[in-house]
Amino acid sequence: MKPLADSIRPNSIEEVVGQEHLLGKGKILNKMLSTGKITNSIFYGPPGVGKTTVANLMAKASNKSFYKLNATNASLKDIKDIVDELDSLMNLNGVILYLDEIQNFNKKQQQSLLEFMENGKITLIASTTENPFHYVYKAILSRSAVFEFKPIGHEHIEIALERALELAKKDFKNINIKADKKILSYIATLSDGDLRRAINILELCINTTDINDQGILNIDEEVVKNCCAAKILNYDGNGESHYDILSAFQKSIRGSHVDASLHYLARLIKVGDLISICRRLLVIAAEDIGLAYPNAITIVKSCTDAAMQLGFPEAKIPLAEAVILLATAPKSNSALVAIDRALEDLEKSYISEIPSNIRDGHYKGAESLGRMQNYKYPHDYPNSYIQQQYMPSSIEGNTYYEPGNNKLERNAKEYWDKIKGKI
């Protein structure tokens, strides 16, 4: 018996659930399927969202021969075998090559397809779970349209599960399979946008549940929990999802949205990425809170040290403390802006020598070189301040630091403006 996920694979565009932004009426892939004019394409998105299904439908619509390779285990020989058949009678209309997981092909393997993409003998439909702009050879990208497939919406997964359940009931003619909408909704939640996973959970429940005396196979929440221990999140520790979550995490804290910050922290905790959490929290304390609350980095360092020492699950507590502190703290990026301006000057400006009065004079012969001869020791003057030259002459007057609009920095500015006689 075929797997349930394969049995319900759509045979027409009308049966496909989700991806309305690509397959809806008037959308680009819908138009390709209706005309049969298929272009080189790269399908990018998480597992179980319909990439293979749409590729099959495009091959069917094009009236071309269909070949399928998985780059995980395919080789140059597999490509050569397809190329050798291009001029055969069965391939007169051309070939559609569906290359799954194209990111696993090296540059040479990807380049081997270019000539045949150019002359139209091969129409490439490649799929990948990784961002193609990071992993696919640029010459392939320039000859292909990139289509991003989104996770399947909860309501669409429920619709597909209802179809799968009806099909399963036909296969098990003498058994009454029962799974109400609440259970299907629960399975949809566990799948996290992966339709294939949702159907596989349902199939596992059907295949492993005992039939009662009344001939009923009842799928309840306990059955589902036994078949699926935990929800699996779409996360790759070294891939795009990793950086997307970290980016959302920092931007939510920077934007002072406590609940969103905790949501992305929870995602990172769920996958056990303790090192990334701690590193990012320390960066945020310096970059986004900065001088508005300088003690934040000290507190965050204590929280992250505690988290590293505790490990999960207890590490979640000091991490949550740090996140809430940072999200609710006043914000200032003045330190980041200041150091970036100083670094930019080093790249773009002529920098003259360090003024002699502040160069090192603690060695024999320094006096003859004029080192530190006119240096004025600030602590010998009122308020420990005296005006003298510190910047190289070529950039004297350049300003890097501008105080942020927060209480601490405003007070510091007011203090120094008074000392320096500016107010």
Side-chain angles (χ1 to χ4, degrees):
M1 186 182 295
K2 288 175 63 178
L4 191 54
D6 282 341
S7 297
I8 72 157
R9 192 179 293 280
N11 292 310
S12 68
I13 191 172
E14 291 76 23
E15 294 178 353
V16 179
V17 295
Q19 313 307 336
E20 292 90 345
H21 64 296
L22 298 174
L23 298 171
K25 188 175 181 181
K27 301 301 182 181
I28 186 162
L29 291 186
N30 187 309
K31 289 181 178 179
M32 277 196 202
L33 286 165
S34 62
T35 62
K37 296 179 180 178
I38 310 301
T39 61
N40 295 310
S41 306
I42 297 175
F43 293 170
Y44 154 53
V49 295
K51 301 188 295 294
T52 302
T53 294
V54 175
N56 285 329
L57 292 175
M58 291 175 78
K60 184 179 176 182
S62 70
N63 197 29
K64 294 183 178 182
S65 299
F66 184 59
Y67 292 83
K68 182 177 178 180
L69 293 177
N70 189 306
T72 305
N73 50 33
S75 64
L76 278 172
K77 182 180 183 303
D78 295 309
I79 296 174
K80 186 177 182 301
D81 289 343
I82 294 172
V83 168
D84 289 342
E85 295 181 12
L86 286 177
D87 295 323
S88 66
L89 289 175
M90 62 179 290
N91 293 328
L92 290 179
N93 292 327
V95 161
I96 283 188
L97 171 60
Y98 178 57
L99 182 58
D100 198 12
E101 304 294 345
I102 188 175
Q103 76 273 9
N104 291 311
F105 259 13
N106 60 35
K107 184 176 179 180
K108 184 177 181 180
Q109 289 171 310
Q110 292 187 37
Q111 283 179 317
S112 67
L113 298 168
L114 286 175
E115 176 188 346
F116 306 100
M117 292 171 66
E118 290 279 5
N119 62 28
K121 290 186 176 182
I122 288 180
T123 301
L124 177 68
I125 301 177
S127 71
T128 176
T129 55
E130 303 291 348
N131 190 323
F133 296 99
H134 297 161
Y135 290 92
V136 178
Y137 180 48
K138 286 182 172 55
I140 296 282
L141 280 175
S142 69
R143 293 161 174 80
S144 308
V146 177
F147 301 105
E148 183 176 4
F149 282 60
K150 308 287 187 181
I152 306 294
H154 191 280
E155 68 282 3
H156 287 123
I157 290 182
E158 285 191 52
I159 292 170
L161 285 172
E162 288 173 359
R163 280 176 44 205
L165 185 60
E166 290 305 313
L167 182 61
K169 286 178 179 178
K170 292 178 182 177
D171 289 337
F172 292 82
K173 296 177 183 178
N174 299 320
I175 299 172
N176 184 5
I177 303 174
K178 285 192 174 182
D180 60 26
K181 282 187 173 292
K182 182 180 177 182
I183 289 301
L184 296 183
S185 177
Y186 179 46
I187 294 174
T189 300
L190 291 173
S191 70
D192 199 41
D194 183 336
L195 179 54
R196 187 188 299 112
R197 174 169 166 76
I199 294 170
N200 287 343
I201 293 172
L202 177 62
E203 184 175 27
L204 184 59
C205 290
I206 293 170
N207 291 337
T208 59
T209 302
D210 293 331
I211 303 164
N212 65 22
D213 295 338
Q214 289 76 41
I216 297 173
L217 192 159
N218 185 45
I219 300 173
D220 56 21
E221 188 170 325
E222 190 63 29
V223 168
V224 176
K225 284 181 179 178
N226 288 335
C227 291
C228 182
K231 181 178 179 182
I232 297 177
L233 298 178
N234 177 33
Y235 184 82
D236 179 351
N238 295 311
E240 185 180 31
S241 62
H242 166 79
Y243 295 105
D244 282 347
I245 294 173
L246 287 174
S247 176
F249 182 49
Q250 180 162 0
K251 288 179 173 67
S252 297
I253 294 175
R254 181 185 296 152
S256 303
H257 197 302
V258 182
D259 296 318
S261 304
L262 289 168
H263 166 75
Y264 293 112
L265 172 64
R267 287 198 187 194
L268 293 163
I269 289 173
K270 183 76 173 177
V271 296
D273 197 351
L274 181 55
I275 292 175
S276 291
I277 297 171
C278 293
R279 181 181 180 279
R280 190 56 62 116
L281 286 173
L282 289 167
V283 169
I284 294 167
E287 179 180 345
D288 296 306
I289 283 71
L291 294 170
Y293 184 20
N295 282 342
I297 195 166
T298 304
I299 299 171
V300 169
K301 180 64 166 64
S302 296
C303 289
T304 54
D305 283 350
M308 292 295 287
Q309 201 165 0
L310 288 168
F312 288 126
E314 290 85 355
K316 68 183 179 183
I317 305 169
L319 293 176
E321 181 182 344
V323 165
I324 294 169
L325 173 79
L326 295 177
T328 57
K331 307 295 189 294
S332 174
N333 71 338
S334 59
L336 171 66
V337 172
I339 190 60
D340 280 348
R341 286 174 176 170
L343 289 167
E344 185 178 14
D345 245 2
L346 292 181
E347 293 293 328
K348 296 184 177 180
S349 302
Y350 164 68
I351 308 296
S352 57
E353 65 179 10
I354 297 170
S356 292
N357 62 307
I358 61 170
R359 293 173 76 172
D360 179 29
H362 297 92
Y363 58 90
K364 189 176 180 179
E367 185 177 350
S368 65
L369 295 174
R371 302 290 191 262
M372 215 172 72
Q373 294 308 297
N374 298 313
Y375 175 62
K376 299 171 184 176
Y377 188 57
H379 295 297
D380 291 340
Y381 297 86
N383 302 307
S384 296
Y385 175 77
I386 182 67
Q387 174 67 37
Q388 62 184 317
Q389 184 176 358
Y390 292 98
M391 288 281 269
S393 297
S394 62
I395 54 173
E396 179 76 20
N398 286 12
T399 300
Y400 302 138
Y401 171 63
E402 293 181 5
N405 187 26
N406 56 79
K407 184 178 180 180
L408 193 149
E409 289 185 90
R410 285 199 307 268
N411 288 344
K413 181 180 185 301
E414 184 179 348
Y415 171 80
W416 282 109
D417 282 347
K418 286 179 181 178
I419 297 299
K420 295 178 180 181
K422 293 183 179 180
I423 57 174

